Amino acid sequence: MNQKILTMAVCGAVATGALADPHVFTIYAQAPATALPGESITVEIWGQVQSPQWVQGTSMIAGFGIDVLGTGEISNVEMGQISEWAAGFGINGFVQGFNVVGTSGGQLHDGHWGDCWIGDCEGDRGNPILLFTILATAGEWGEMVFTPGNPNINGGLSFYPSWDDGLSIIGPNDAGTSLVLLSATVLIVPGPGVLVGSVLGLALMARRKR
């Protein structure tokens, strides 16, 4: 079993050609660049596949299993929603501290039911694709960082090369696969009233020193 996982702290960018394996899976967080103190934001967790066997319009994401680890000045975290395409086999994550743990989901290949009598062969074939969301509330000052981590023992992300075939490629479990995990950072920016108060406070301190 191959277990090649690369975690990178970047602000929403997706790595391309990060590893030499032919099948590079990426799970990345997207969030607003800034938030006000006490503001609630939505953090999106996305999946992407780079593979010579991915054929646009024919291939489809099979499933995922990943935690989201929250660090920094976070006052609250909640599970959001699993995307509709994966909700039929979805398991909501639960909160541990500022982490959302154990979220997973997936879809059957469209050939599973013979002549596609369920779903009319219309599985979601997006790539990249939204996996799920979490909700977070900003603290008073500093930054919040949200990092996908701890891929499920059965795989962090997988895809069907062909929508009518159950054969899937699973990262980072299968040979020749790698899983890249990218975090998102949110800067907590005080509102104008807080900034004015801080400036006045500094000015008063300077006058007292003189």
Side-chain angles (χ1 to χ4, degrees):
M1 179 183 294
N2 180 42
Q3 285 285 324
K4 191 175 292 184
I5 304 172
L6 177 63
T7 302
M8 301 173 66
V10 299
C11 296
V14 180
T16 57
L19 298 170
D21 296 298
H23 313 291
V24 178
F25 295 81
T26 304
I27 297 178
Y28 61 97
Q30 281 193 342
T34 61
L36 295 172
E39 181 180 0
S40 294
I41 64 168
T42 298
V43 180
E44 297 179 340
I45 307 301
W46 288 76
Q48 183 174 9
V49 174
Q50 294 172 276
S51 167
Q53 293 190 39
W54 180 277
V55 179
Q56 195 64 33
T58 297
S59 302
M60 54 196 291
I61 301 295
F64 67 90
I66 199 75
D67 299 344
V68 181
L69 312 178
T71 56
E73 295 302 314
I74 304 170
S75 65
N76 187 60
V77 168
E78 300 175 22
M79 177 65 196
Q81 289 186 324
I82 296 175
S83 292
E84 184 177 356
W85 69 269
F89 295 91
I91 298 176
N92 284 339
F94 59 93
V95 176
Q96 286 186 343
F98 296 129
N99 305 327
V100 177
V101 178
T103 310
S104 63
Q107 63 182 343
L108 294 173
H109 61 94
D110 285 332
H112 183 82
W113 301 106
D115 294 328
C116 303
W117 60 276
I118 291 182
D120 296 324
C121 299
E122 292 182 356
D124 195 318
R125 302 176 198 177
N127 184 27
I129 192 168
L130 179 63
L131 306 181
F132 63 97
T133 61
I134 67 171
L135 308 175
T137 304
E140 293 300 317
W141 186 268
E143 64 181 24
M144 303 181 286
V145 182
F146 303 94
T147 306
N150 305 325
N152 189 285
I153 190 172
N154 296 314
L157 191 63
S158 61
F159 80 101
Y160 304 115
S162 177
W163 61 265
D164 63 351
D165 189 335
L167 178 66
S168 62
I169 299 174
I170 303 170
N173 298 34
D174 291 346
T177 67
S178 300
L179 179 61
V180 180
L181 305 174
L182 304 180
S183 65
T185 298
V186 181
L187 180 65
I188 302 171
V189 180
V194 175
L195 289 174
V196 170
S198 298
V199 170
L200 289 174
L202 291 172
L204 288 172
M205 287 177 63
R207 287 183 62 183
R208 287 170 183 167
K209 288 181 179 179
R210 288 198 297 267

